[in-house]
Amino acid sequence: RELTMVILQNEIHESKEGIKIYIYSVGTFYPESSIKVDDFEKCRDVQLVGQKAGIMSIKYPSIMDTVSEMGKAATENALRHKNLDAKALDQLVFISEGISDYLYMDTSKTIIKKLNPEADGAIHANDFFKGFNGTMELIRLVYNQLESNTDIKYSAVCTSLNWKYHSKNFIIGNTILGNGAGTVILSDKGDRNEILTIESRNLSEFNTILGFKYGGSNEDITEDTIKNKLFKLEIINNDHFEGIQTLYQEVCLELIDLILNRVNIDINSIDYLGIAAPTHNIIDTLREIIPQNINIISSLSQKGYLGSLGVIDLLDSFINNEEIKNNSLMLVLSIGLDPNIESFIIRK
């Protein structure tokens, strides 16, 4: 164990000192309908996986809840919090976890056009693929671009998930995939909701955990693939899937210690611990370790595993909850079914 801990410490990547990222606004959107895991009567596997993961229900998308429509709605909600018009956006970055409304599409451009039909090439549009657990690092990347490009005043980072047609009954590994969308708006005009520090850990030795087996990861696209609708997210390497879970606790503890020391904050000064994770076992383990006075924020039981949306969901719950006082501190851990584990501290 001592050797393992040394390796983990040596592989943690230090971020730049003096980080200052302000979350200008955040908004989410979820399908109106929910379905309880126990109501999947024709799919016993969903019931068993959900019960073991501590997931009681997920949001269930209607035919109108497409990836682009939900992304638009989440962005509109984020704009509304600051009374901003969609035309104020200079950039929209979309985090993709797989297939959007079509097998291939420029989702960022589609959402921009839905928000602002008059939008033209002057608006920066970017799509980042396989973003399951890299949301905060992408926010840092976009914020750096915003600071260096005087043409960009407001940047939106958006993700939108609809697993109704591209998963096996919403199951992936040991969890149930959730549906919904979220958008973070960044601006150099921000002066509240400051990210004090960010740190991530990439367990690159487990880099082929999940993907689309047909049409990319393992098999070519064939006529049968299309006819049988085999474009579904699944575990493609069970050894990697099982291996990464053995390191969750150690890596999380290393990250907590590192970021607290970096900003010279005692763990007892943290008011909230936000956890985005695929199962409640991880949350329960961390609950036993941290001081009991720290409140935990997690929507896993009601919304399922949210992947790239998980961090934005936590930011929304923290920033837009009027019961949480200004100057409160939240430490966030984002743990997923890919090689990335992220952690950051935000002051409201």
Side-chain angles (χ1 to χ4, degrees):
R1 175 178 170 82
E2 290 179 359
L3 176 61
T4 303
M5 292 296 285
V6 170
I7 292 174
L8 290 175
Q9 286 180 329
N10 288 341
E11 290 186 358
I12 288 177
H13 303 293
E14 293 284 341
S15 63
K16 294 181 180 179
E17 294 182 1
I19 182 173
K20 280 195 175 183
I21 296 176
Y22 296 96
I23 304 298
Y24 190 70
S25 185
V26 59
T28 55
F29 174 86
Y30 293 97
E32 186 176 347
S33 298
S34 294
I35 182 168
K36 294 181 179 179
V37 168
D38 290 342
D39 290 340
F40 281 85
E41 297 178 356
K42 294 182 180 180
C43 188
R44 181 62 176 158
D45 288 346
V46 176
Q47 295 177 331
L48 293 174
V49 172
Q51 290 165 5
K52 193 171 182 180
I55 298 171
M56 299 173 60
S57 64
I58 60 172
K59 296 296 183 179
Y60 192 78
S62 70
I63 194 170
M64 302 300 293
D65 294 323
T66 63
V67 168
S68 58
E69 284 294 337
M70 290 195 296
K72 172 195 172 188
T75 307
E76 287 176 332
N77 287 337
L79 290 166
R80 192 176 298 115
H81 287 309
K82 288 293 185 178
N83 295 315
L84 279 177
D85 188 276
K87 294 180 180 180
L89 290 178
D90 303 300
Q91 179 181 43
L92 191 141
V93 176
F94 184 78
I95 306 171
S96 171
E97 291 194 15
I99 299 168
S100 295
D101 301 337
Y102 300 96
L103 183 58
Y104 176 80
M105 68 180 293
D106 292 322
T107 313
S108 59
K109 293 180 181 178
T110 303
I111 294 174
I112 286 171
K113 289 180 178 178
K114 286 177 180 287
L115 287 165
N116 177 13
E118 301 172 13
D120 56 28
I123 294 180
H124 300 266
N126 310 94
D127 290 72
F128 286 78
F129 296 93
K130 290 203 73 175
F132 291 91
N133 217 45
T135 303
M136 279 312 302
E137 288 293 356
L138 182 56
I139 287 174
R140 170 157 53 181
L141 176 67
V142 173
Y143 199 86
N144 287 341
Q145 184 182 15
L146 183 148
E147 287 190 314
S148 61
N149 189 336
T150 56
D151 292 334
I152 301 176
K153 303 299 182 185
Y154 296 98
S155 295
V157 177
C158 174
T159 186
S160 183
L161 311 173
N162 182 334
W163 292 111
K164 189 174 183 179
Y165 306 106
H166 299 295
S167 68
K168 295 181 178 180
N169 295 310
F170 302 102
I171 296 175
I172 184 68
N174 57 359
T175 191
I176 306 295
L177 294 163
N179 306 284
T183 298
V184 167
I185 295 178
L186 305 172
S187 173
D188 58 6
K189 300 179 184 296
D191 60 358
R192 305 190 71 84
N193 304 315
E194 180 186 0
I195 304 296
L196 304 181
T197 184
I198 300 173
E199 189 57 73
S200 62
R201 172 79 160 85
N202 187 277
L203 303 170
S204 56
E205 61 268 39
F206 305 110
N207 61 0
T208 54
I209 298 173
L210 72 175
F212 290 86
K213 183 177 180 180
Y214 295 93
S217 299
N218 288 27
E219 305 288 342
D220 292 334
I221 296 177
T222 65
E223 186 176 348
D224 286 341
T225 302
I226 297 170
K227 285 183 177 179
N228 296 317
K229 300 179 180 179
L230 296 178
F231 295 109
K232 298 184 186 297
L233 186 72
E234 54 188 307
I235 301 296
I236 57 176
N237 189 316
N238 281 306
D239 290 338
H240 283 200
F241 169 65
E242 293 171 3
I244 196 171
Q245 296 180 70
T246 64
L247 293 178
Y248 280 153
Q249 181 175 331
E250 289 186 39
V251 174
C252 286
L253 292 178
E254 286 287 330
L255 287 174
I256 290 173
D257 185 59
L258 189 152
I259 63 173
L260 287 173
N261 286 333
R262 180 180 295 154
V263 293
N264 196 27
I265 292 177
D266 185 89
I267 183 66
N268 291 295
S269 297
I270 297 295
D271 302 293
Y272 297 88
L273 177 63
I275 306 175
T279 71
H280 254 286
N281 290 338
I282 301 171
I283 298 172
D284 293 341
T285 299
L286 292 170
R287 170 77 278 180
E288 294 175 0
I289 296 169
I290 65 168
Q292 294 300 303
N293 62 298
I294 298 177
N295 299 297
I296 288 188
I297 299 177
S298 170
S299 62
L300 176 68
S301 64
Q302 300 300 319
K303 296 175 183 173
Y305 170 57
L306 295 177
S308 57
L309 177 56
V311 162
I312 300 178
D313 179 77
L314 291 171
L315 289 171
D316 182 53
S317 298
F318 181 70
I319 292 172
N320 293 326
N321 185 344
E322 295 181 356
E323 295 183 2
I324 296 179
K325 299 177 181 179
N326 289 337
N327 292 316
S328 294
L329 289 172
M330 177 171 70
L331 189 156
V332 172
L333 287 166
S334 180
I335 307 138
L337 295 179
D338 69 354
N340 297 315
I341 298 178
E342 293 187 321
S343 183
F344 65 92
I345 298 174
I346 180 172
R347 186 191 306 276
K348 184 170 180 178

